[in-house]
Amino acid sequence: MKQTLYEMSQGFNNLMELCLDETIELDAVEAALQSVEGDVKQKCFDGIGLIKSLEALKEESVKESRRLAERAHVISNRIDAIKRVYMDGLKAMGKTHIDTGRGRMAVQNNPPALIVSKLLDVKTLPDEYKKHIPESWEVNKAAVKDALKAGKHVPGCELVQGESLRIR
């Protein structure tokens, strides 16, 4: 079963299978990658194919997860609608519950929920109904970064130059 989009050497096809096996530890995948033999150019050529194939599979997975989330949302809405129909029907018959061989369907009151008007001015509320939330500070990352680039010392902060592999 070939799952790659790109032609790769057998070693990289095997590596693809390892990458897709969720039971394999990442260390084992890295060790397998280092054990593949060949010249640097071919290994990079196959590595690009491996990375692009995995990126395509990741995108497919993200799209599928969105589709499934949307489906779950639709099903949830259907469940709510069906429950409303049954609740309205039970109320119309003057019943609070019906027992069946599959279970009990009952209309019950929910716990009271507090609704606070959007027009409420909290200042007008008595103190016993208010709580103080202290201000919090956050790091202004843009200002700190600019200061460090300008050569200033900012306690507890530093600029770190990272690297990543880009494939175009």
Side-chain angles (χ1 to χ4, degrees):
M1 171 167 91
K2 189 169 183 174
Q3 297 187 15
T4 61
L5 299 175
Y6 296 87
E7 289 295 320
M8 294 184 288
S9 67
Q10 187 57 45
F12 276 84
N13 280 323
N14 293 341
L15 198 62
M16 178 72 165
E17 294 300 320
L18 283 178
C19 288
L20 297 176
D21 186 342
E22 297 168 11
T23 63
I24 303 292
E25 295 291 325
L26 186 57
D27 292 341
V29 173
E30 290 174 1
L33 180 60
Q34 291 173 359
S35 71
V36 174
E37 295 197 11
D39 74 338
V40 168
K41 190 170 184 174
Q42 183 63 44
K43 285 174 77 170
C44 289
F45 176 83
D46 288 339
I48 291 169
L50 176 68
I51 291 167
K52 287 191 177 210
S53 293
L54 288 170
E55 286 173 342
L57 287 171
K58 179 188 85 170
E59 284 302 313
E60 287 176 25
S61 298
V62 168
K63 285 179 186 175
E64 182 66 5
S65 69
R66 286 185 192 135
R67 186 189 70 77
L68 290 173
E70 288 173 8
R71 183 171 186 227
H73 182 71
V74 167
I75 291 170
S76 179
N77 288 341
R78 300 283 163 89
I79 291 168
D80 292 343
I82 292 167
K83 284 181 176 180
R84 275 192 306 274
V85 168
Y86 276 99
M87 188 169 75
D88 292 345
L90 287 173
K91 284 181 175 180
M93 292 186 299
K95 296 188 179 270
T96 59
H97 67 276
I98 293 187
D99 290 310
T100 73
R102 186 166 277 167
R104 173 181 250 209
M105 190 176 282
V107 177
Q108 291 180 286
N109 289 331
N110 294 330
L114 175 65
I115 298 174
V116 178
S117 170
K118 293 180 182 178
L119 302 176
L120 174 69
D121 182 5
V122 178
K123 295 174 190 169
T124 64
L125 206 58
D127 286 345
E128 64 190 273
Y129 302 116
K130 296 188 270 187
K131 65 180 177 180
H132 177 70
I133 301 173
E135 289 184 81
S136 63
W137 291 92
E138 291 182 0
V139 176
N140 182 341
K141 292 182 180 181
V144 171
K145 191 174 180 180
D146 290 343
L148 290 172
K149 283 182 179 178
K152 295 181 182 174
H153 173 71
V154 180
C157 300
E158 64 179 317
L159 283 180
V160 177
Q161 180 68 56
E163 305 182 311
S164 64
L165 179 66
R166 290 183 181 84
I167 297 173
R168 296 182 179 116

